[in-house]
Amino acid sequence: MNGFEMINVFIDTSIFIKMNFFYGHPTFAALIESVKQGRTRILLTEVTVEEVKANIRGNLTEI
């Protein structure tokens, strides 16, 4: 694992909302790169996934 310890990261719905669901945000980009390097593991609950989907759908209906 390239000398790094694996880090588990739990992401809650509030983070997605704070980043305005922009997955190209530098914070998300850095996290994705860390996952690709095998340094980080993302943990999401099914509840979080469904909340994110519901928030995105809600935002789309407001447009």
Side-chain angles (χ1 to χ4, degrees), residues 3-53:
F4 293 102
E5 184 176 328
M6 175 71 74
I7 298 170
N8 294 318
V9 176
F10 174 80
I11 302 178
D12 187 53
T13 307
S14 62
I15 300 302
F16 292 99
I17 292 169
K18 181 178 180 180
M19 302 298 171
N20 203 26
F21 304 99
F22 175 55
Y23 304 106
H25 189 281
T27 301
F28 281 133
L31 187 57
I32 290 167
E33 185 59 33
S34 183
V35 169
K36 286 180 179 178
Q37 293 174 0
R39 297 174 50 201
T40 303
R41 182 178 331 162
I42 303 297
L43 304 173
L44 293 171
T45 66
E46 191 62 34
V47 171
T48 300
V49 172
E50 291 306 316
E51 286 178 349
V52 168
K53 288 178 182 179

